[in-house]
Amino acid sequence: MSAEEHGGGDLIEITFLGSGGGRFITITQFRSTGGFHIRASRNIYVDPGPGALVRSWRYKLDPRKLDVIFVSHRHVDHCNDAEVMIEAMTGGALKKRGVLIASKSVVYGDETHTPAVSKYHLDVLESIHIPEPGSRIAIGDEEMVITPAQHSDPTTIGFRMKSPMGDISYIPDTAYFDELLEWHDGSRLIIAAVTRPRDMGIPYHLSTDDIVMMLKRMREKPEALVVSHIGMKMHFANPYKEAKYIETVTGVKTYVAKEGFRVRMEKNEIAVRTLRPARFV
């Protein structure tokens, strides 16, 4: 597929097909939970939770054109649609193509979960990566550096994607720990799962207080932060007020993801807009 079809070159687009996370947001769909799509030199889908397939079509992001699927861990709000997105990427499981990058729990399961992806679906992929933090995976013109997390699924992984437009970090569900600074300091854009508002932190998840502490400690702050994976408490606390607080105290431009929210990253600027649904499916 050409660079023009993918984007690449002098532009990266990130489209959110959901911004919710946690069991109660997932089962109520107060905020959709489809994860997000990266259009760079390759098409990458990150954490295809419930609704990923439907909302991809809603915003004219053809899942048959995917090249890579990244799944941070085995929890259902991150991996529910993984198999059907693999089927789309592989032309109905009729072509051996596409790349899966996933935590160990997604591929093998763990003490409490079966694998999220069946052998049938694994067998139609061109390649499968089950990387450890520090692993580097080339994806077209970009390189994905796998980063650690501290979550109730101990195999959870994030990434820092190096691109001609600058680095893009994805921090999935995790507790705050000092190594986050080392892995993500200097990224131009950070997408972070900030599940809880101020003074309401819980184990294994970031809160507004955690992300503020992290940004304040960074030597080279990001140009922009996108808050996503919003839990029920954050949803009702008003995530836009929390984002304004983060921006005021850290000086980092902070956005709240929602369905259809698109970040356009060019060499000289990061611009955002919210798309209208193209289809109601």
Side-chain angles (χ1 to χ4, degrees), residues 10 48 59 96 101 119 231 244 252 261 269:
D10 57 357
Y59 293 93
K96 197 172 183 68
I101 304 170
K119 184 179 184 301
K244 186 64 178 175
V252 175
F261 182 74
E269 71 169 340

Side-chain angles (χ1 to χ4, degrees), residues 140-160:
D141 297 336
E142 289 76 44
E143 181 183 51
M144 189 176 281
V145 180
I146 302 303
T147 60
Q150 291 185 359
H151 190 43
S152 52
D153 176 344
T155 69
T156 301
I157 53 174
F159 63 78
R160 179 171 179 157

Side-chain angles (χ1 to χ4, degrees), residues 3-280:
E4 288 76 16
E5 275 186 276
H6 284 102
D10 57 357
L11 171 68
I12 291 176
E13 287 183 338
I14 302 168
T15 307
F16 289 84
L17 287 312
S19 63
R23 68 196 70 181
F24 298 112
I25 286 288
T26 300
I27 62 178
T28 60
Q29 289 293 293
F30 285 170
R31 304 183 79 92
S32 50
T33 51
F36 59 97
H37 179 285
I38 301 175
R39 182 172 178 258
S41 66
R42 298 293 183 271
N43 289 313
I44 305 165
Y45 206 102
V46 178
D47 278 357
L53 178 69
V54 169
R55 288 178 170 91
S56 290
W57 286 113
R58 184 176 287 179
Y59 293 93
K60 298 177 72 173
L61 293 167
D62 188 340
R64 295 171 297 184
K65 295 181 179 179
L66 287 173
D67 302 291
V68 180
I69 295 172
F70 176 95
V71 189
S72 64
H73 63 292
R74 176 59 185 84
H75 293 164
V76 71
D77 49 346
H78 295 259
C79 69
N80 187 77
D81 281 15
E83 288 184 334
V84 72
M85 296 300 271
I86 289 171
E87 289 202 17
M89 183 169 66
T90 58
L94 296 174
K95 303 174 188 174
K96 197 172 183 68
R97 70 173 297 271
V99 177
L100 174 66
I101 304 170
S103 72
K104 188 180 295 184
S105 59
V106 169
V107 177
Y108 297 121
D110 57 28
E111 294 94 349
T112 55
H113 295 87
T114 59
V117 181
S118 71
K119 184 179 184 301
Y120 170 82
H121 292 91
L122 294 175
D123 286 346
V124 296
L125 291 162
E126 187 176 358
S127 64
I128 302 162
H129 298 268
I130 309 167
E132 296 292 331
S135 300
R136 292 173 176 265
I137 303 166
I139 304 173
D141 297 336
E142 289 76 44
E143 181 183 51
M144 189 176 281
V145 180
I146 302 303
T147 60
Q150 291 185 359
H151 190 43
S152 52
D153 176 344
T155 69
T156 301
I157 53 174
F159 63 78
R160 179 171 179 157
M161 192 172 82
K162 297 184 173 296
S163 83
M165 302 297 105
D167 291 3
I168 300 167
S169 279
Y170 174 48
I171 303 175
D173 285 340
T174 183
Y176 176 81
F177 59 108
D178 287 339
E179 281 186 60
L180 284 176
L181 290 171
E182 300 171 26
W183 288 97
H184 301 290
D185 198 328
S187 282
R188 188 176 176 203
L189 173 69
I190 295 178
I191 300 164
V194 185
T195 306
R196 284 282 184 132
R198 282 167 281 177
D199 303 319
M200 296 187 72
I202 54 173
Y204 302 121
H205 297 81
L206 292 177
S207 68
T208 297
D209 299 315
D210 294 322
I211 204 75
V212 164
M213 178 169 59
M214 186 184 81
L215 292 172
K216 282 185 171 182
R217 291 179 176 180
M218 283 184 164
R219 295 183 299 275
E220 187 179 348
K221 293 180 174 60
E223 189 174 328
L225 166 73
V226 178
V227 170
S228 192
H229 204 63
I230 291 160
M232 191 69 87
K233 296 287 187 183
M234 174 70 99
H235 176 72
F236 283 113
N238 191 335
Y240 297 96
K241 286 185 178 179
E242 296 295 299
K244 186 64 178 175
Y245 171 78
I246 294 168
E247 186 172 314
T248 299
V249 300
T250 68
V252 175
K253 185 66 179 175
T254 303
Y255 300 99
V256 177
K258 62 181 178 179
E259 181 183 317
F261 182 74
R262 175 171 286 175
V263 179
R264 184 182 177 98
M265 189 168 168
E266 301 180 78
K267 287 185 178 177
N268 297 321
E269 71 169 340
I270 294 176
V272 304
R273 61 181 291 217
T274 300
L275 307 176
R276 291 184 177 182
R279 294 170 58 182
F280 287 93

